Amino acid sequence: RDAVPDRVKGLDSGADDYITDAAHELRTPLTAVRLQSEMAQRATDDAERADTLDKLRAGLLRASHLVEQLLVMARLDAAPPTGSVEPVNLLDLAKQVIVEFAPIADDRGLDLGLLPGAAVTVAGDPGELRTLLGNLVDNALRYTPTGGRVDVQVQQAGNEAMLTVSDTGPGIPATERARVFDRFYRGASVTVPGSGLGLAIVQRIADRHQASIRLEDAEPGRGLRVIVRWAG
């Protein structure tokens, strides 16, 4: 039998690593859900049972979010490089995403809004670009403390289209900014529940659309600003 080419072996190894990492990431929330359901069964009064069921619901939401992100990444891995390309108005897209996430922002006591900008159009897959911006806004809302602010802005800078999401959260240390795009990476100081896939998905979609991503402080020493650029 012919030997398997090294390139194919590398692909198989990468898929195996991804499956192993995904299984590891799923184990924690699923174990928590199982333990919380057992605690709910053992609860001796209504108050204890209600508290346990609230924690169970939160655990199910975390597991569901992780599964959804895994499915998105799997679809991106399997999709053709180009996908469905058509003109996408980034300003309209930003308005749609903000409306979708507004109830979540309100529930968390956050100010989510659209800064003044321009109606800029880029060529791309509307669904993928919606996922890109949705993940950026979702990340910003997750890490910004109550009373904070998340801003989305669409701009034209010369021949470049720019999509920016800024927040007043803790930011990301400069030493970790290259690694946050790795699948399942979560900084040592991160305590907010998450999948570790949000920014990896953003990077993958940006690459498929020949866009670049830059992370910087939103304000001196605080917050995070994510800038996605399409060259003209």
Side-chain angles (χ1 to χ4, degrees), residues 130-146:
R130 159 64 190 79
T131 298
L132 178 149
L133 181 54
N135 271 299
L136 290 179
V137 172
D138 180 62
N139 265 20
L141 293 176
R142 284 175 183 272
Y143 289 95
T144 302
T146 300

Side-chain angles (χ1 to χ4, degrees), residues 6-7 45 61 91 123 132 169 199 207 211:
D6 289 341
R7 181 169 59 85
D45 58 62
L61 288 174
L91 190 60
L132 178 149
L199 288 179
D207 290 343

